[in-house]
Structure formats: C-alpha cells, structure tokens
Amino acid sequence: MREHSRLEIKNKLKKKDFSENVDIEVLLDELENNNYLNEERFTESFIRYRSSRGQGPIKISSELSVRGITQVQISNAMQNAEIDWYGGASEQREKKFGLQLPLEFKEKSRQMRFLMGRGFNHDMVNKAIR
C-alpha cells in the first residue's frame, strides 16, 4: 500500500457506483481531518521513492503536479527532502554507461538525453557528464 493524493482518491471514488450518493469532497475532508489522507506525507513519500528509483526533480515535480499537488507544496517538499540530485544524476549515468566519462560528442549527447529523460536539469546533467 502507498500514500495517495487527494486527487487520486477523488478520481478512484468517482469511478465507483456509490459515488452518486456520497459527497466526495466532504468525505475527503473527513479523511484529511482524521489524518488518513495527508498530501504532505504523500508528497514526501513520493519524492523519496521516485528519487530512489533514479528519477530527477523535474520528472518528479511534473508527476506530482499531475496528481494534484501544488507547486508550493512541491517546492517545500523538494527543499526538505535533502536529496543529492547531482549525485543521483552521476549515479544513474554510471549505472547505465559505466565509470568511463564520454569523450566523443555523440556519446555525450546520448548520455545527456538519457539523464534529461530521467528528469535531471542541465546543470545536474553537465556535472554528471564532466
């Protein structure tokens, strides 16, 4: 089991047959009041899990936005996460391509595209390639 955002639970409940008889917003408020639903906890858990799987901050932020988390919540959680994004980019590059740094432009470009696809920004990618 994992944490869910308010939007995720809302979408799941709308798919159920009983959703016509239940005020979903009131139910979600009640879940939040009882701390069964906590978007801060969800965001922290999501960032921790996705970063451990080798994803960068851009991709993680985008996925959180799709799940209904605000940019303010994302920014706060990213700052509090204390994750070494530069180290993560280097680790992903080494895991995929080995310890040897690329010398040719074509290979550098290939590795840069890979890291950007994982959600790392230009600065992180450049540091991992050099």
Side-chain angles (χ1 to χ4, degrees), residues 53-64:
R53 305 278 297 161
Q55 294 183 353
I58 295 171
K59 187 170 186 173
I60 293 171
S61 294
S62 175
E63 290 178 1
L64 284 168

Side-chain angles (χ1 to χ4, degrees), residues 12-56:
K12 285 183 177 194
L13 290 174
K14 282 184 176 180
K15 291 179 184 177
K16 303 292 181 184
D17 292 333
F18 66 86
S19 65
E20 295 173 7
N21 302 331
V22 176
D23 185 357
I24 294 175
E25 291 300 322
V26 171
L27 177 62
L28 292 172
D29 290 341
E30 186 66 28
L31 290 172
E32 282 182 341
N33 290 337
N34 290 321
N35 205 29
Y36 295 125
L37 176 62
N38 184 316
E39 288 197 334
E40 183 178 327
R41 190 174 59 218
F42 163 74
T43 305
E44 290 171 4
S45 172
F46 192 90
I47 291 170
R48 191 172 41 255
Y49 175 72
R50 295 299 171 108
S51 66
S52 74
R53 305 278 297 161
Q55 294 183 353

Side-chain angles (χ1 to χ4, degrees), residues 4-123:
H4 289 78
S5 70
R6 184 179 178 104
L7 182 63
E8 287 177 322
I9 292 179
K10 183 178 182 177
N11 290 338
K12 285 183 177 194
L13 290 174
K14 282 184 176 180
K15 291 179 184 177
K16 303 292 181 184
D17 292 333
F18 66 86
S19 65
E20 295 173 7
N21 302 331
V22 176
D23 185 357
I24 294 175
E25 291 300 322
V26 171
L27 177 62
L28 292 172
D29 290 341
E30 186 66 28
L31 290 172
E32 282 182 341
N33 290 337
N34 290 321
N35 205 29
Y36 295 125
L37 176 62
N38 184 316
E39 288 197 334
E40 183 178 327
R41 190 174 59 218
F42 163 74
T43 305
E44 290 171 4
S45 172
F46 192 90
I47 291 170
R48 191 172 41 255
Y49 175 72
R50 295 299 171 108
S51 66
S52 74
R53 305 278 297 161
Q55 294 183 353
I58 295 171
K59 187 170 186 173
I60 293 171
S61 294
S62 175
E63 290 178 1
L64 284 168
S65 292
V66 169
R67 287 169 170 77
I69 306 300
T70 66
Q71 279 305 125
V72 172
Q73 290 171 314
I74 294 170
S75 295
N76 291 339
M78 287 287 195
Q79 289 174 355
N80 295 333
E82 297 180 8
I83 295 171
D84 179 13
W85 297 110
Y86 291 92
S90 295
E91 188 178 299
Q92 289 304 304
R93 193 205 64 76
E94 289 174 10
K95 186 176 176 183
K96 175 84 172 173
F97 301 105
L99 293 173
Q100 182 67 36
L101 291 173
L103 299 175
E104 297 177 11
F105 177 76
K106 186 175 180 180
E107 184 60 23
K108 278 185 182 181
S109 297
R110 182 172 159 247
Q111 291 185 21
M112 290 174 86
R113 280 192 308 275
F114 168 76
L115 291 172
M116 289 180 157
R118 300 289 286 182
F120 295 100
N121 67 30
H122 289 286
D123 192 37

